[in-house]
Amino acid sequence: MTSYRGAPPPENPPPGPWVPPEDPPARAFLRAFFPPLDTAGLRFRGGWSGLPIFAIMTLVYPLSLQQANWVELSSHFTNIAIVGLLAGTLLGNSRLRPSRAAALAAVLGSIAVLLFTVFAVPEGTFRERAVALGVDVNTWLTQVLAGEAARGQTVFTLFLGASSWATGYIGAFALARSRRVWESIVVNGACLVVNVSLALTPLLLDLVVFSLCALVLMVRLHIVTLQERWEARNIQPTGEMDWRVLRGGLTWTTVLVIMALVSPRVGAAEVLGTAFDTFEAPYQRVEAEWQRFFAGVSGPSRLRGVSFADAIRLGQSPNLGEATVMTVDAAQGRFWRVIAYDFYTGQGWRSTEVDRTADVAVEETRLREPFEATFNILDSGSGNRLYAANEPLAATVPVQFLVGSDRTFSSGVRAVESRHAAGSYTVLSLVSVADKGSLRRASAPIPESVRRSYLQIPSTLPQRVRDLAREVTASATNAYDKAEAIEGFLRTNYRYAPVVRPPPPNRDPVDFFLFDLKEDFCEYFASSMVMMLREVGVPARLIEGFTSGTFDPVSGQYIVKQVNAHAWVEAYFPGYGWIEFEPTPSETPFVRIEAPAEESDPAAGGEDGSLETDPDAAERDLRIAELEALFAEASGASGAGAAPAPLVDPAPLVSLLILLLLAAVAFVARFEWRFRRHSPVEAAWGKTQLLAAYVGHPSRSSETTYEFADALAVIVPEAREPIRTIADARVRERYAAAGADDGLREAAEDAWWRVAKELLVLLPQRVLRAVVRLIPR
């Protein structure tokens, strides 16, 4: 008798085997991407008491984004997360493979994010809003690829919307498919921690609510798991069992949250801080690029108390108080430099000279004297950065200088170990004593490395800023007079204001300050002077640190407080190095004496461009060499008699991780390749047998399919149901006349992924046992 698979035979079958009609292409496509749902799984596993907890936990992140107020359009993030949650639930209860579900979710998520973002725009027709969004994205790509700052908020709004979708979808999909909540906790928690850490608005309550919901939900799902086990073993718990377990979980949840809030920092924090120092430089490069990509976003405050980063955004209000940062023991008060910025993004500044070296090859400069300053740090808000006067040369602690390609000067100096930056240290610097006449006659060629980095101007700088710079310096005939003219122009025509006002969207901060504000914080003054100097051909950079502070006659030290945080300008003069200028009218300008114009200028160089002999250079160099030797000896002593510990090169670790990743990819590819010619059911069964053998539980030739499945289920009880599903499908495939239907094949494929997750957990345990057996006893 002829058997018929997948469809009933016709009443009057034609001669020969009957083949069921194929589905139309459209229906086959829909079945592939929209398979039937498991409607029994649509109910929430934690019951009606757990559903609102899960919903709150999922929606805390998009609500937190709204409170952080990163972008103007943020009210739609919650709607995106809700749609993602629904999509994750439906796809999780479907028979789609995880890879197909992920691809479909990516398409649905992109459509949802784009539509909700377009509808969130308050003005214009749908077409106008959609076209404006496309234009903004194209503009963002153009600015990013040109190496400039992207000012618009549209792309960042889309990014936040995508993160809201991901947090809603991933958690719901994992809960529906694997009946676990860990994926939701990890993904939502990580996104929430990042947002809470960077937002200006205090959002600690959001983190507390999320933690409470996550812990309570875990307790609730654990109760459900216990109930399922009890039912499977015919155990009838008492009526109060659920409440007792839930009450205990709530109690411990409350205790854990309180302990997390009130517990002091543990000793491991210092170890973690030291470990982070190793990867700080690449992290800061990534952070700088991130801020360039999203320069138009209202980012975190650069100064909370006082702290300095490799990238800043103009228009951010500093949070400065009267707390004392440090006391300085020095022969005279100077500005204490922390960091120099060279790259103007069109929205803020970045420090791109971040290569590290143990010493700096000081450029041969004229009219500079050694200067020592001892810093006693009371508030280490600068991380492991050290304070210094003008051009640092050496320190009494192991340090690294941040330099550019030619290594002739630094953009900052860091302690090798953070603990050295938080105590007391002395820094030897070279400070300029050049007079105005000498600086006016400086005419040696500007080094190419200086021209490349410190004459950079973004193409987005408005033309009227360029015209103003030329107009102010029209009567100046040399670089120093140009710098003095711009400095005097800003000090005379603009006013200092302690309240910082951010520029409007898509406005250059320098242009906004010069032509609209005309009064604001020191960063606006310094930024404007740097850009105007660069426009007229004078290399310049923006410096941040502290003013000299207030001199205390009792202690003989300078008291530096948070309110002394300041930004000023350094301009480059060939042969004389970096010279300080003060464009902010609230501070006293740097004093320089005049000099007879007829004096010869060794810095101007001879016919070959080399510097002429400085009669005081030999004595000065000998003194500097002696001081450097003393500082090197002190630096070795501060390091417990050892040389500064070299930085851990992350390249070997990264290479090892890449090799492990490639090995894992190769293993998975080979594993899948072995079963490429098997049917879906036989492939699922073969993979289960092979992976079980890898973890130490191979099948025996005498075992039947069900015997091996039962034995494996005893070893991995959490995978009992999917193992049984695969076994049933294999028996039906092999021995039933009709074979396994499409639904059973898809169920076997889905069950294989669930079994694989449980078996892979056992693999490290077997490896560990094998290693232990190799150890001689």
Side-chain angles (χ1 to χ4, degrees):
M1 180 177 178
T2 305
S3 62
Y4 301 97
R5 281 190 175 186
E11 294 182 359
N12 298 312
W18 175 78
V19 179
E22 294 185 358
D23 289 337
R27 182 178 298 177
F29 176 82
L30 292 176
R31 286 187 61 189
F33 284 94
F34 300 97
L37 295 176
D38 180 12
T39 55
L42 288 177
R43 64 180 181 84
F44 185 68
R45 185 168 181 246
W48 289 110
S49 60
L51 180 59
I53 299 175
F54 177 73
I56 293 173
M57 187 187 74
T58 304
L59 297 179
V60 165
Y61 172 64
L63 291 172
S64 179
L65 290 177
Q66 291 181 234
Q67 297 175 65
N69 198 27
W70 294 102
V71 291
E72 296 177 1
L73 302 177
S74 60
S75 59
H76 62 294
F77 293 153
T78 304
N79 298 330
I80 293 176
I82 293 174
V83 175
L85 194 152
L86 296 176
T89 301
L90 294 176
L91 292 178
N93 284 286
S94 71
R95 297 174 182 174
L96 275 179
R97 296 179 183 178
S99 57
R100 288 187 179 181
L104 182 57
V107 174
L108 294 177
S110 301
I111 296 174
V113 171
L114 289 173
L115 288 179
F116 276 107
T117 303
V118 170
F119 282 118
V121 178
E123 298 177 356
T125 64
F126 178 83
R127 183 178 182 280
E128 292 173 344
R129 289 179 284 183
V131 170
L133 186 144
V135 171
D136 290 344
V137 172
N138 180 69
T139 302
W140 182 87
L141 288 173
T142 303
Q143 292 173 334
V144 167
L145 294 177
E148 300 175 357
R151 301 179 187 173
Q153 295 185 355
T154 301
V155 174
F156 194 69
T157 303
L158 295 175
F159 171 78
L160 294 182
S163 68
S164 300
W165 168 272
T167 54
Y169 170 80
I170 292 175
F173 180 86
L175 187 62
R177 180 63 61 94
S178 62
R179 310 179 78 181
R180 298 186 308 185
V181 76
W182 273 108
E183 286 83 351
S184 179
I185 293 175
V186 171
V187 175
N188 279 272
C191 294
L192 183 62
V193 167
V194 172
N195 185 59
V196 171
S197 301
L198 298 180
L200 292 172
T201 307
L203 298 174
L204 184 60
L205 180 60
D206 293 5
L207 199 58
V208 172
V209 171
F210 175 84
S211 302
L212 285 171
C213 291
L215 292 172
V216 172
L217 186 61
M218 290 171 60
V219 172
R220 176 58 191 162
L221 292 180
H222 181 64
I223 293 174
V224 173
T225 302
L226 291 177
Q227 289 175 337
E228 292 173 350
R229 291 180 181 176
W230 293 334
E231 292 176 1
R233 299 175 183 178
N234 293 322
I235 299 175
Q236 297 297 327
T238 62
E240 297 182 356
M241 182 65 71
D242 292 358
W243 166 242
R244 288 169 58 186
V245 175
L246 182 60
R247 182 179 58 191
L250 290 172
T251 302
W252 279 107
T253 296
T254 306
V255 170
L256 288 174
V257 171
I258 294 175
M259 289 179 61
L261 293 175
V262 303
S263 296
R265 293 177 60 188
V266 295
E270 181 66 25
V271 178
L272 294 175
T274 303
F276 177 75
D277 289 345
T278 303
F279 302 96
E280 186 176 9
Y283 167 78
Q284 289 178 343
R285 289 191 180 98
V286 173
E287 182 185 29
E289 286 300 300
W290 179 271
Q291 294 202 15
R292 181 173 70 86
F293 290 168
F294 304 114
V297 178
S298 301
S301 174
R302 170 186 52 81
L303 294 174
R304 295 186 181 185
V306 177
S307 60
F308 301 91
D310 282 344
I312 62 172
R313 184 178 296 106
L314 296 179
Q316 295 296 310
S317 298
N319 182 20
L320 305 178
E322 292 292 332
T324 300
V325 175
M326 60 185 172
T327 62
V328 185
D329 189 358
Q332 65 182 49
R334 299 194 64 91
F335 281 10
W336 315 118
R337 190 186 82 173
V338 179
I339 186 171
Y341 298 101
D342 59 292
F343 189 88
Y344 182 62
T345 66
Q347 203 72 25
W349 289 92
R350 289 193 291 138
S351 179
T352 64
E353 296 189 328
V354 293
D355 293 336
R356 301 188 182 190
T357 179
D359 53 12
V360 59
V362 180
E363 181 184 14
E364 184 180 355
T365 52
R366 178 175 168 80
L367 298 177
R368 283 190 177 267
E369 295 291 338
F371 180 87
E372 296 180 46
T374 300
F375 301 89
N376 304 298
I377 308 303
L378 303 178
D379 179 8
S380 57
S382 62
N384 63 344
R385 297 182 185 273
L386 301 185
Y387 302 99
N390 200 212
E391 191 63 54
L393 184 62
T396 55
V397 296
V399 297
Q400 293 169 330
F401 294 88
L402 304 181
V403 296
S405 57
D406 61 354
R407 299 176 179 267
T408 56
F409 52 83
S410 67
S411 62
V413 59
R414 294 172 176 265
V416 175
E417 299 182 29
S418 299
R419 60 186 177 91
H420 290 147
S424 178
Y425 56 84
T426 302
V427 178
L428 172 66
S429 300
L430 291 179
V431 298
S432 175
V433 293
D435 56 80
K436 294 183 179 181
S438 299
L439 295 175
R440 287 191 177 101
R441 294 189 298 272
S443 57
I446 299 174
E448 179 58 30
S449 60
V450 175
R451 298 180 62 88
R452 183 172 58 252
S453 297
Y454 296 98
L455 287 176
Q456 173 265 340
I457 298 176
S459 60
T460 55
L461 186 72
Q463 183 62 38
R464 61 179 181 175
V465 176
R466 303 170 183 265
D467 295 340
L468 180 63
R470 297 192 188 100
E471 178 184 340
V472 171
T473 59
S475 60
T477 58
N478 56 76
Y480 180 79
D481 284 341
K482 292 178 180 178
E484 202 171 53
I486 295 174
E487 180 188 47
F489 171 77
L490 293 172
R491 295 181 62 88
T492 303
N493 297 282
Y494 297 84
R495 295 183 299 175
Y496 173 81
V499 178
V500 181
R501 283 172 286 182
N506 299 322
R507 280 292 303 276
D508 184 275
V510 170
D511 176 79
F512 177 61
F513 169 73
L514 290 175
F515 295 97
D516 295 332
L517 277 180
K518 298 189 177 181
E519 66 170 19
D520 215 285
F521 203 56
C522 55
E523 283 183 338
Y524 275 115
F525 283 90
S527 299
S528 300
M529 182 173 179
V530 171
M531 298 316 298
M532 294 174 74
L533 282 173
R534 292 183 177 186
E535 175 59 29
V536 295
V538 180
R541 62 185 184 180
L542 182 139
I543 308 296
E544 286 206 336
F546 292 91
T547 61
S548 59
T550 304
F551 182 73
D552 181 13
V554 177
S555 63
Q557 296 179 327
Y558 291 89
I559 310 298
V560 181
K561 299 182 178 181
Q562 291 181 358
V563 293
N564 298 125
H566 191 52
W568 63 98
V569 176
E570 285 183 354
Y572 184 83
F573 295 87
Y576 294 92
W578 294 101
I579 305 299
E580 299 162 304
F581 289 88
E582 178 52 271
T584 307
S586 62
E587 297 292 337
T588 304
F590 293 95
V591 178
R592 296 183 186 89
I593 62 173
E594 294 282 355
E598 58 271 8
E599 286 187 6
S600 63
D601 178 25
E607 295 180 359
D608 59 353
S610 60
L611 295 180
E612 295 182 6
T613 303
D614 180 359
D616 301 326
E619 181 179 352
R620 183 201 66 172
D621 292 345
L622 179 60
R623 182 184 173 196
I624 292 175
E626 293 175 349
L627 289 173
E628 282 188 293
L630 292 175
F631 273 70
E633 182 179 353
S635 174
S638 66
L647 279 179
V648 178
D649 186 5
L653 178 60
V654 173
S655 301
L656 178 62
L657 293 176
I658 293 176
L659 288 176
L660 291 176
L661 179 61
L662 292 176
V665 171
F667 172 80
V668 173
R670 183 177 180 275
F671 188 89
E672 293 288 339
W673 183 258
R674 295 181 63 172
F675 302 96
R676 65 189 183 280
R677 296 179 180 175
H678 292 66
S679 66
V681 174
E682 287 296 334
W685 179 254
K687 293 175 185 178
T688 301
Q689 285 184 306
L690 184 57
L691 192 55
Y694 285 161
V695 299
H697 303 287
S699 63
R700 295 192 296 270
S701 58
S702 60
E703 286 181 321
T704 65
T705 301
Y706 283 126
E707 286 174 345
F708 175 71
D710 292 339
L712 188 60
V714 172
I715 299 168
V716 192
E718 294 81 2
R720 180 183 301 273
E721 180 185 346
I723 293 173
R724 188 71 182 189
T725 300
I726 299 174
D728 288 339
R730 184 172 187 261
V731 171
R732 181 71 63 88
E733 177 86 5
R734 280 200 162 194
Y735 306 112
D741 57 17
D742 292 341
L744 200 54
R745 295 190 188 99
E746 293 179 356
E749 290 183 81
D750 182 64
W752 148 245
W753 290 108
R754 296 164 60 188
V755 172
K757 290 181 181 179
E758 301 298 338
L759 290 178
L760 286 175
V761 175
L762 303 179
L763 190 58
Q765 300 177 13
R766 191 189 183 197
V767 174
L768 182 60
R769 287 197 299 268
V771 172
V772 171
R773 283 196 295 267
L774 294 175
I775 300 175
R777 298 182 180 178

